[in-house]
Short mmCIF file of all heavy atoms in Angstrom, two decimals:
data_model
loop_
_atom_site.label_atom_id
_atom_site.label_comp_id
_atom_site.label_asym_id
_atom_site.label_seq_id
_atom_site.Cartn_x
_atom_site.Cartn_y
_atom_site.Cartn_z
N MET A 138 179.40 170.76 110.64
CA MET A 138 179.98 172.06 111.06
C MET A 138 179.42 173.18 110.18
O MET A 138 179.49 173.12 108.96
CB MET A 138 181.51 172.01 110.88
CG MET A 138 182.21 171.24 111.97
SD MET A 138 182.95 172.29 113.22
CE MET A 138 184.24 173.12 112.28
N PRO A 139 178.84 174.22 110.80
CA PRO A 139 178.34 175.34 110.00
C PRO A 139 179.47 176.20 109.44
O PRO A 139 180.60 176.15 109.91
CB PRO A 139 177.50 176.13 111.01
CG PRO A 139 178.06 175.79 112.34
CD PRO A 139 178.59 174.38 112.23
N CYS A 140 179.13 177.01 108.43
CA CYS A 140 180.09 177.94 107.83
C CYS A 140 180.62 178.91 108.88
O CYS A 140 179.86 179.45 109.68
CB CYS A 140 179.40 178.69 106.70
SG CYS A 140 180.39 180.03 106.01
N LYS A 141 181.94 179.15 108.85
CA LYS A 141 182.53 180.06 109.84
C LYS A 141 182.23 181.52 109.52
O LYS A 141 182.35 182.39 110.38
CB LYS A 141 184.05 179.85 109.90
CG LYS A 141 184.43 178.58 110.62
CD LYS A 141 185.93 178.33 110.53
CE LYS A 141 186.28 176.98 111.15
NZ LYS A 141 187.63 176.54 110.76
N SER A 142 181.85 181.81 108.28
CA SER A 142 181.57 183.19 107.90
C SER A 142 180.11 183.58 108.14
O SER A 142 179.82 184.62 108.71
CB SER A 142 181.91 183.41 106.42
OG SER A 142 183.29 183.32 106.23
N CYS A 143 179.18 182.72 107.69
CA CYS A 143 177.76 183.11 107.77
C CYS A 143 176.94 182.12 108.59
O CYS A 143 175.74 182.30 108.74
CB CYS A 143 177.18 183.24 106.37
SG CYS A 143 176.91 181.66 105.54
N PHE A 144 177.59 181.08 109.12
CA PHE A 144 176.96 180.08 109.99
C PHE A 144 175.89 179.25 109.30
O PHE A 144 175.07 178.60 109.95
CB PHE A 144 176.39 180.75 111.26
CG PHE A 144 177.43 181.56 112.00
CD1 PHE A 144 177.41 182.94 111.96
CD2 PHE A 144 178.45 180.92 112.69
CE1 PHE A 144 178.38 183.69 112.60
CE2 PHE A 144 179.43 181.65 113.33
CZ PHE A 144 179.40 183.04 113.30
N SER A 145 175.89 179.26 107.95
CA SER A 145 174.98 178.42 107.21
C SER A 145 175.44 176.96 107.30
O SER A 145 176.63 176.67 107.41
CB SER A 145 174.96 178.85 105.74
OG SER A 145 174.32 177.87 104.95
N VAL A 146 174.48 176.04 107.27
CA VAL A 146 174.85 174.63 107.22
C VAL A 146 174.74 174.10 105.78
O VAL A 146 174.93 172.91 105.54
CB VAL A 146 173.97 173.76 108.16
CG1 VAL A 146 174.27 174.09 109.61
CG2 VAL A 146 172.50 173.96 107.85
N ASN A 147 174.46 174.99 104.86
CA ASN A 147 174.31 174.65 103.44
C ASN A 147 175.69 174.59 102.79
O ASN A 147 176.07 175.45 102.00
CB ASN A 147 173.41 175.68 102.75
CG ASN A 147 172.98 175.22 101.38
OD1 ASN A 147 173.06 174.04 101.04
ND2 ASN A 147 172.54 176.17 100.57
N ARG A 148 176.48 173.55 103.14
CA ARG A 148 177.84 173.42 102.63
C ARG A 148 177.97 172.10 101.90
O ARG A 148 177.29 171.13 102.19
CB ARG A 148 178.85 173.48 103.77
CG ARG A 148 178.68 174.76 104.61
CD ARG A 148 179.94 175.19 105.26
NE ARG A 148 180.57 174.16 106.08
CZ ARG A 148 181.83 174.24 106.51
NH1 ARG A 148 182.57 175.27 106.20
NH2 ARG A 148 182.32 173.29 107.24
N LYS A 149 178.88 172.07 100.94
CA LYS A 149 179.05 170.86 100.13
C LYS A 149 180.52 170.59 99.88
O LYS A 149 181.31 171.53 99.72
CB LYS A 149 178.31 171.05 98.80
CG LYS A 149 178.16 169.77 98.00
CD LYS A 149 177.29 170.02 96.78
CE LYS A 149 177.22 168.76 95.92
NZ LYS A 149 176.44 168.99 94.70
N LYS A 150 180.89 169.30 99.82
CA LYS A 150 182.27 168.91 99.56
C LYS A 150 182.53 168.78 98.07
O LYS A 150 181.68 168.29 97.32
CB LYS A 150 182.58 167.57 100.24
CG LYS A 150 182.75 167.69 101.73
CD LYS A 150 183.11 166.33 102.32
CE LYS A 150 183.25 166.44 103.84
NZ LYS A 150 183.51 165.12 104.45
N PHE A 151 183.73 169.20 97.64
CA PHE A 151 184.17 169.05 96.26
C PHE A 151 185.61 168.56 96.25
O PHE A 151 186.33 168.71 97.22
CB PHE A 151 184.10 170.40 95.53
CG PHE A 151 182.72 170.98 95.41
CD1 PHE A 151 182.23 171.83 96.40
CD2 PHE A 151 181.90 170.67 94.34
CE1 PHE A 151 180.96 172.37 96.31
CE2 PHE A 151 180.62 171.20 94.25
CZ PHE A 151 180.15 172.05 95.22
N GLY A 152 186.02 168.04 95.11
CA GLY A 152 187.43 167.77 94.89
C GLY A 152 188.04 169.00 94.25
O GLY A 152 187.36 169.73 93.54
N ALA A 153 189.33 169.25 94.46
CA ALA A 153 189.95 170.44 93.89
C ALA A 153 191.42 170.19 93.55
O ALA A 153 192.07 169.32 94.14
CB ALA A 153 189.84 171.60 94.86
N GLU A 154 191.91 170.94 92.55
CA GLU A 154 193.34 170.99 92.27
C GLU A 154 193.76 172.43 92.49
O GLU A 154 193.13 173.34 91.97
CB GLU A 154 193.65 170.61 90.81
CG GLU A 154 193.22 169.22 90.42
CD GLU A 154 191.77 169.20 89.99
OE1 GLU A 154 191.34 170.10 89.28
OE2 GLU A 154 191.05 168.28 90.40
N MET A 155 194.82 172.61 93.24
CA MET A 155 195.21 173.97 93.59
C MET A 155 196.72 174.14 93.54
O MET A 155 197.45 173.32 94.07
CB MET A 155 194.70 174.25 95.01
CG MET A 155 194.65 175.71 95.35
SD MET A 155 193.88 175.95 96.95
CE MET A 155 192.25 175.25 96.66
N GLY A 156 197.17 175.18 92.84
CA GLY A 156 198.60 175.51 92.80
C GLY A 156 198.86 176.65 93.76
O GLY A 156 198.41 177.77 93.53
N ILE A 157 199.57 176.35 94.84
CA ILE A 157 199.86 177.40 95.82
C ILE A 157 201.21 178.02 95.47
O ILE A 157 202.22 177.32 95.37
CB ILE A 157 199.91 176.82 97.25
CG1 ILE A 157 198.57 176.18 97.60
CG2 ILE A 157 200.26 177.92 98.26
CD1 ILE A 157 198.53 175.54 98.97
N HIS A 158 201.22 179.32 95.25
CA HIS A 158 202.48 179.98 94.94
C HIS A 158 202.78 181.07 95.95
O HIS A 158 201.88 181.61 96.59
CB HIS A 158 202.49 180.51 93.50
CG HIS A 158 201.38 181.46 93.20
ND1 HIS A 158 201.49 182.81 93.38
CD2 HIS A 158 200.13 181.24 92.75
CE1 HIS A 158 200.35 183.39 93.04
NE2 HIS A 158 199.50 182.47 92.66
N PHE A 159 204.06 181.36 96.09
CA PHE A 159 204.50 182.35 97.06
C PHE A 159 204.35 183.74 96.45
O PHE A 159 204.65 183.96 95.28
CB PHE A 159 205.96 182.07 97.45
CG PHE A 159 206.10 180.77 98.20
CD1 PHE A 159 206.21 179.56 97.52
CD2 PHE A 159 206.11 180.77 99.59
CE1 PHE A 159 206.32 178.36 98.21
CE2 PHE A 159 206.22 179.57 100.28
CZ PHE A 159 206.33 178.37 99.59
N LEU A 160 203.88 184.68 97.27
CA LEU A 160 203.64 186.03 96.79
C LEU A 160 204.93 186.85 96.73
O LEU A 160 205.90 186.57 97.43
CB LEU A 160 202.63 186.72 97.71
CG LEU A 160 201.23 186.10 97.73
CD1 LEU A 160 200.37 186.80 98.78
CD2 LEU A 160 200.57 186.19 96.37
N GLY A 161 204.93 187.83 95.90
CA GLY A 161 206.05 188.77 95.85
C GLY A 161 207.03 188.45 94.74
O GLY A 161 207.24 187.29 94.38
N LEU A 162 207.65 189.49 94.21
CA LEU A 162 208.57 189.35 93.09
C LEU A 162 209.78 188.50 93.44
O LEU A 162 210.29 187.75 92.62
CB LEU A 162 209.02 190.76 92.65
CG LEU A 162 209.36 190.93 91.18
CD1 LEU A 162 208.19 190.51 90.29
CD2 LEU A 162 209.74 192.37 90.88
N LYS A 163 210.25 188.58 94.70
CA LYS A 163 211.45 187.83 95.10
C LYS A 163 211.18 186.32 95.11
O LYS A 163 212.11 185.52 95.12
CB LYS A 163 211.95 188.29 96.47
CG LYS A 163 211.03 187.97 97.63
CD LYS A 163 211.60 188.54 98.93
CE LYS A 163 210.63 188.50 100.08
NZ LYS A 163 210.26 187.18 100.57
N ASN A 164 209.91 185.93 95.11
CA ASN A 164 209.56 184.51 95.14
C ASN A 164 209.19 183.97 93.77
O ASN A 164 208.68 182.86 93.65
CB ASN A 164 208.40 184.29 96.11
CG ASN A 164 208.80 184.56 97.54
OD1 ASN A 164 209.89 184.20 97.96
ND2 ASN A 164 207.93 185.21 98.28
N ILE A 165 209.46 184.76 92.75
CA ILE A 165 208.98 184.41 91.41
C ILE A 165 209.57 183.10 90.90
O ILE A 165 208.95 182.39 90.10
CB ILE A 165 209.23 185.59 90.44
CG1 ILE A 165 208.27 185.51 89.25
CG2 ILE A 165 210.69 185.65 90.01
CD1 ILE A 165 208.08 186.84 88.56
N ASP A 166 210.76 182.73 91.40
CA ASP A 166 211.43 181.49 90.94
C ASP A 166 211.03 180.27 91.77
O ASP A 166 211.40 179.15 91.44
CB ASP A 166 212.95 181.65 91.00
CG ASP A 166 213.43 182.66 89.95
OD1 ASP A 166 212.75 182.79 88.92
OD2 ASP A 166 214.46 183.30 90.18
N LYS A 167 210.32 180.48 92.86
CA LYS A 167 209.94 179.34 93.70
C LYS A 167 208.89 178.49 93.00
O LYS A 167 207.96 179.03 92.39
CB LYS A 167 209.38 179.83 95.04
CG LYS A 167 210.47 180.28 95.99
CD LYS A 167 209.88 180.61 97.33
CE LYS A 167 210.97 181.13 98.26
NZ LYS A 167 210.40 181.68 99.49
N PRO A 168 209.06 177.17 93.08
CA PRO A 168 208.08 176.31 92.40
C PRO A 168 206.72 176.35 93.08
O PRO A 168 206.62 176.53 94.29
CB PRO A 168 208.71 174.91 92.51
CG PRO A 168 209.63 174.99 93.67
CD PRO A 168 210.10 176.42 93.76
N ILE A 169 205.70 176.17 92.26
CA ILE A 169 204.32 176.09 92.76
C ILE A 169 204.15 174.78 93.51
O ILE A 169 204.66 173.74 93.10
CB ILE A 169 203.33 176.18 91.59
CG1 ILE A 169 203.34 177.60 91.01
CG2 ILE A 169 201.92 175.78 92.01
CD1 ILE A 169 202.54 177.76 89.74
N VAL A 170 203.48 174.84 94.65
CA VAL A 170 203.16 173.63 95.41
C VAL A 170 201.74 173.21 95.05
O VAL A 170 200.78 173.94 95.28
CB VAL A 170 203.28 173.88 96.93
CG1 VAL A 170 202.88 172.64 97.72
CG2 VAL A 170 204.70 174.32 97.30
N TRP A 171 201.62 172.02 94.44
CA TRP A 171 200.31 171.54 94.01
C TRP A 171 199.65 170.72 95.11
O TRP A 171 200.27 169.85 95.70
CB TRP A 171 200.44 170.68 92.75
CG TRP A 171 200.78 171.52 91.56
CD1 TRP A 171 202.02 171.68 91.02
CD2 TRP A 171 199.89 172.33 90.79
NE1 TRP A 171 201.94 172.56 89.95
CE2 TRP A 171 200.65 172.97 89.78
CE3 TRP A 171 198.51 172.58 90.85
CZ2 TRP A 171 200.09 173.84 88.85
CZ3 TRP A 171 197.96 173.45 89.92
CH2 TRP A 171 198.74 174.06 88.93
N VAL A 172 198.39 171.02 95.39
CA VAL A 172 197.63 170.22 96.35
C VAL A 172 196.30 169.81 95.72
O VAL A 172 195.78 170.49 94.84
CB VAL A 172 197.39 170.98 97.68
CG1 VAL A 172 198.70 171.24 98.40
CG2 VAL A 172 196.65 172.28 97.45
N PHE A 173 195.79 168.70 96.17
CA PHE A 173 194.53 168.16 95.64
C PHE A 173 193.59 167.90 96.80
O PHE A 173 193.27 166.76 97.11
CB PHE A 173 194.83 166.88 94.84
CG PHE A 173 195.81 167.12 93.72
CD1 PHE A 173 197.18 166.97 93.94
CD2 PHE A 173 195.37 167.51 92.48
CE1 PHE A 173 198.08 167.22 92.91
CE2 PHE A 173 196.26 167.76 91.44
CZ PHE A 173 197.62 167.62 91.66
N PRO A 174 193.16 168.98 97.44
CA PRO A 174 192.40 168.82 98.68
C PRO A 174 190.92 168.55 98.44
O PRO A 174 190.40 168.77 97.35
CB PRO A 174 192.57 170.17 99.36
CG PRO A 174 192.65 171.14 98.21
CD PRO A 174 193.36 170.39 97.10
N GLU A 175 190.29 168.09 99.50
CA GLU A 175 188.83 168.05 99.54
C GLU A 175 188.39 169.43 100.01
O GLU A 175 188.84 169.92 101.04
CB GLU A 175 188.38 166.97 100.53
CG GLU A 175 186.90 166.72 100.51
CD GLU A 175 186.54 165.57 101.43
OE1 GLU A 175 186.49 165.78 102.65
OE2 GLU A 175 186.32 164.46 100.93
N LEU A 176 187.56 170.07 99.20
CA LEU A 176 187.17 171.45 99.44
C LEU A 176 185.74 171.47 99.97
O LEU A 176 184.86 170.82 99.42
CB LEU A 176 187.25 172.18 98.11
CG LEU A 176 187.32 173.69 98.05
CD1 LEU A 176 188.56 174.21 98.76
CD2 LEU A 176 187.34 174.14 96.60
N VAL A 177 185.51 172.20 101.05
CA VAL A 177 184.15 172.38 101.57
C VAL A 177 183.73 173.82 101.28
O VAL A 177 184.36 174.76 101.76
CB VAL A 177 184.08 172.09 103.08
CG1 VAL A 177 182.65 172.23 103.58
CG2 VAL A 177 184.61 170.70 103.38
N VAL A 178 182.69 173.96 100.44
CA VAL A 178 182.24 175.29 100.02
C VAL A 178 180.88 175.60 100.63
O VAL A 178 179.97 174.78 100.59
CB VAL A 178 182.14 175.36 98.47
CG1 VAL A 178 181.65 176.72 98.02
CG2 VAL A 178 183.49 175.04 97.83
N CYS A 179 180.76 176.79 101.18
CA CYS A 179 179.47 177.27 101.68
C CYS A 179 178.66 177.71 100.47
O CYS A 179 179.07 178.59 99.72
CB CYS A 179 179.66 178.44 102.64
SG CYS A 179 178.09 179.19 103.15
N LEU A 180 177.49 177.10 100.28
CA LEU A 180 176.67 177.40 99.10
C LEU A 180 175.87 178.69 99.29
O LEU A 180 175.18 179.13 98.38
CB LEU A 180 175.75 176.22 98.79
CG LEU A 180 176.49 174.91 98.49
CD1 LEU A 180 175.50 173.81 98.17
CD2 LEU A 180 177.51 175.06 97.38
N ASP A 181 175.96 179.30 100.45
CA ASP A 181 175.28 180.57 100.68
C ASP A 181 176.20 181.77 100.50
O ASP A 181 175.84 182.74 99.85
CB ASP A 181 174.65 180.59 102.08
CG ASP A 181 173.40 179.72 102.13
OD1 ASP A 181 172.63 179.77 101.15
OD2 ASP A 181 173.21 179.00 103.12
N CYS A 182 177.41 181.73 101.05
CA CYS A 182 178.28 182.92 100.97
C CYS A 182 179.54 182.65 100.17
O CYS A 182 180.28 183.59 99.85
CB CYS A 182 178.65 183.43 102.36
SG CYS A 182 179.94 182.47 103.19
N GLY A 183 179.85 181.39 99.82
CA GLY A 183 181.00 181.09 98.98
C GLY A 183 182.29 180.85 99.74
O GLY A 183 183.32 180.53 99.14
N ALA A 184 182.27 181.00 101.05
CA ALA A 184 183.48 180.74 101.83
C ALA A 184 183.90 179.29 101.64
O ALA A 184 183.06 178.39 101.68
CB ALA A 184 183.25 181.05 103.30
N ALA A 185 185.19 179.05 101.42
CA ALA A 185 185.68 177.70 101.17
C ALA A 185 186.76 177.34 102.18
O ALA A 185 187.50 178.19 102.67
CB ALA A 185 186.23 177.60 99.75
N GLU A 186 186.85 176.04 102.46
CA GLU A 186 187.77 175.57 103.47
C GLU A 186 188.43 174.29 103.00
O GLU A 186 187.77 173.42 102.41
CB GLU A 186 186.95 175.25 104.73
CG GLU A 186 187.62 175.53 106.04
CD GLU A 186 186.62 175.29 107.16
OE1 GLU A 186 186.46 174.14 107.57
OE2 GLU A 186 185.99 176.27 107.59
N PHE A 187 189.74 174.18 103.21
CA PHE A 187 190.42 172.93 102.91
C PHE A 187 191.65 172.80 103.78
O PHE A 187 192.12 173.77 104.37
CB PHE A 187 190.79 172.84 101.43
CG PHE A 187 191.90 173.78 101.03
CD1 PHE A 187 193.21 173.34 100.97
CD2 PHE A 187 191.62 175.09 100.71
CE1 PHE A 187 194.24 174.19 100.59
CE2 PHE A 187 192.64 175.96 100.34
CZ PHE A 187 193.95 175.51 100.28
N VAL A 188 192.18 171.57 103.86
CA VAL A 188 193.38 171.32 104.64
C VAL A 188 194.50 170.95 103.68
O VAL A 188 194.34 170.10 102.81
CB VAL A 188 193.14 170.17 105.66
CG1 VAL A 188 194.43 169.81 106.37
CG2 VAL A 188 192.08 170.59 106.66
N VAL A 189 195.65 171.60 103.81
CA VAL A 189 196.82 171.26 103.01
C VAL A 189 197.40 169.96 103.56
O VAL A 189 197.69 169.87 104.75
CB VAL A 189 197.88 172.38 103.09
CG1 VAL A 189 199.15 171.98 102.34
CG2 VAL A 189 197.32 173.68 102.54
N PRO A 190 197.53 168.92 102.70
CA PRO A 190 198.09 167.64 103.18
C PRO A 190 199.50 167.83 103.72
O PRO A 190 200.22 168.75 103.34
CB PRO A 190 198.10 166.78 101.91
CG PRO A 190 197.10 167.41 101.01
CD PRO A 190 197.14 168.87 101.30
N GLU A 191 199.91 166.93 104.61
CA GLU A 191 201.14 167.09 105.37
C GLU A 191 202.37 167.26 104.49
O GLU A 191 203.23 168.12 104.76
CB GLU A 191 201.32 165.90 106.31
CG GLU A 191 202.25 166.21 107.47
CD GLU A 191 202.44 165.01 108.40
OE1 GLU A 191 201.44 164.31 108.64
OE2 GLU A 191 203.56 164.79 108.85
N ALA A 192 202.50 166.46 103.43
CA ALA A 192 203.69 166.54 102.57
C ALA A 192 203.80 167.91 101.92
O ALA A 192 204.89 168.51 101.88
CB ALA A 192 203.63 165.44 101.51
N GLU A 193 202.69 168.42 101.42
CA GLU A 193 202.68 169.73 100.77
C GLU A 193 202.84 170.84 101.80
O GLU A 193 203.48 171.86 101.53
CB GLU A 193 201.38 169.93 99.98
CG GLU A 193 201.30 169.11 98.71
CD GLU A 193 200.96 167.65 98.96
OE1 GLU A 193 200.59 167.29 100.10
OE2 GLU A 193 201.08 166.85 98.01
N LEU A 194 202.30 170.63 102.97
CA LEU A 194 202.45 171.60 104.06
C LEU A 194 203.93 171.78 104.40
O LEU A 194 204.40 172.90 104.61
CB LEU A 194 201.67 171.13 105.29
CG LEU A 194 201.59 172.11 106.46
CD1 LEU A 194 200.95 173.43 106.04
CD2 LEU A 194 200.82 171.51 107.61
N ARG A 195 204.67 170.65 104.40
CA ARG A 195 206.12 170.73 104.67
C ARG A 195 206.83 171.57 103.62
O ARG A 195 207.76 172.30 103.94
CB ARG A 195 206.71 169.32 104.72
CG ARG A 195 206.64 168.70 106.11
CD ARG A 195 207.63 167.56 106.26
NE ARG A 195 207.30 166.44 105.37
CZ ARG A 195 206.48 165.44 105.69
NH1 ARG A 195 205.94 165.40 106.88
NH2 ARG A 195 206.23 164.49 104.84
N GLU A 196 206.39 171.49 102.37
CA GLU A 196 206.99 172.30 101.30
C GLU A 196 206.79 173.79 101.58
O GLU A 196 207.69 174.59 101.37
CB GLU A 196 206.36 171.95 99.94
CG GLU A 196 206.74 170.57 99.43
CD GLU A 196 208.24 170.43 99.22
OE1 GLU A 196 208.80 171.29 98.53
OE2 GLU A 196 208.83 169.48 99.75
N LEU A 197 205.60 174.13 102.05
CA LEU A 197 205.31 175.54 102.35
C LEU A 197 206.13 176.04 103.53
O LEU A 197 206.66 177.14 103.52
CB LEU A 197 203.81 175.71 102.65
CG LEU A 197 202.84 175.35 101.52
CD1 LEU A 197 201.42 175.57 101.98
CD2 LEU A 197 203.13 176.14 100.26
N VAL A 198 206.26 175.19 104.56
CA VAL A 198 207.02 175.56 105.76
C VAL A 198 208.50 175.67 105.42
O VAL A 198 209.16 176.63 105.81
CB VAL A 198 206.80 174.52 106.87
CG1 VAL A 198 207.73 174.80 108.04
CG2 VAL A 198 205.34 174.55 107.33
N LYS A 199 208.98 174.69 104.65
CA LYS A 199 210.40 174.64 104.29
C LYS A 199 210.79 175.91 103.53
O LYS A 199 211.79 176.55 103.84
CB LYS A 199 210.65 173.42 103.41
CG LYS A 199 212.12 173.16 103.07
CD LYS A 199 212.26 171.94 102.19
CE LYS A 199 211.77 172.23 100.77
NZ LYS A 199 211.83 171.06 99.90
N ASP A 200 210.01 176.29 102.55
CA ASP A 200 210.32 177.47 101.75
C ASP A 200 210.26 178.74 102.58
O ASP A 200 211.02 179.67 102.38
CB ASP A 200 209.33 177.56 100.58
CG ASP A 200 210.01 177.15 99.29
OD1 ASP A 200 210.82 176.21 99.35
OD2 ASP A 200 209.74 177.77 98.25
N ASP A 201 209.33 178.75 103.50
CA ASP A 201 209.18 179.91 104.37
C ASP A 201 210.40 180.06 105.29
O ASP A 201 210.92 181.15 105.48
CB ASP A 201 207.91 179.75 105.21
CG ASP A 201 207.35 181.10 105.61
OD1 ASP A 201 207.29 181.98 104.74
OD2 ASP A 201 207.00 181.26 106.78
N ALA A 202 210.90 178.94 105.80
CA ALA A 202 212.06 178.94 106.68
C ALA A 202 213.30 179.38 105.92
O ALA A 202 214.13 180.14 106.41
CB ALA A 202 212.26 177.55 107.28
N ALA A 203 213.42 178.92 104.67
CA ALA A 203 214.57 179.30 103.83
C ALA A 203 214.55 180.80 103.56
O ALA A 203 215.59 181.45 103.57
CB ALA A 203 214.52 178.52 102.52
N ALA A 204 213.36 181.34 103.33
CA ALA A 204 213.24 182.78 103.07
C ALA A 204 213.62 183.59 104.30
O ALA A 204 214.29 184.62 104.20
CB ALA A 204 211.81 183.10 102.63
N ALA A 205 213.21 183.10 105.48
CA ALA A 205 213.51 183.82 106.71
C ALA A 205 215.01 183.81 107.00
O ALA A 205 215.57 184.79 107.47
CB ALA A 205 212.75 183.18 107.86
N ALA A 206 215.66 182.67 106.68
CA ALA A 206 217.10 182.54 106.95
C ALA A 206 217.91 183.35 105.94
O ALA A 206 218.95 183.90 106.27
CB ALA A 206 217.51 181.07 106.89
N GLY A 207 217.45 183.39 104.70
CA GLY A 207 218.23 184.04 103.68
C GLY A 207 217.82 185.49 103.54
O GLY A 207 218.30 186.22 102.74
ZN1 ZN B 55 178.79 180.88 104.50
#
């Protein structure tokens, strides 16, 4: 699959550790959601792509739903 930004095929896979946190002062107490995705980086323009694993994705959805309700 070519890069979605510059259509280069010069892309490479990496391992990554990523702490996803919610933006905004009201979310300052929300815990960081850690993910360890396989990262695909375009070596020409730097655009990166990864998929949040299902368990961690549920954490993001759950927190978002709680924020909308409260
Ligand atoms: Zn690119």
Side-chain angles (χ1 to χ4, degrees):
M138 283 260 293
C140 172
K141 285 174 185 164
S142 292
C143 73
F144 306 106
S145 167
V146 292
N147 192 18
R148 305 208 305 165
K149 192 174 176 183
K150 285 182 181 176
F151 297 90
E154 300 85 42
M155 197 174 299
I157 300 178
H158 58 89
F159 294 84
L160 296 175
L162 210 56
K163 67 183 169 67
N164 293 319
I165 203 158
D166 292 332
K167 283 186 183 170
I169 290 172
V170 177
W171 289 100
V172 295
F173 303 90
E175 188 175 78
L176 199 61
V177 182
V178 179
C179 174
L180 300 181
D181 285 320
C182 78
E186 215 174 83
F187 70 97
V188 174
V189 176
E191 201 180 321
E193 287 78 11
L194 187 59
R195 272 200 295 272
E196 290 299 309
L197 299 180
V198 172
K199 186 180 73 183
D200 255 38
D201 207 45

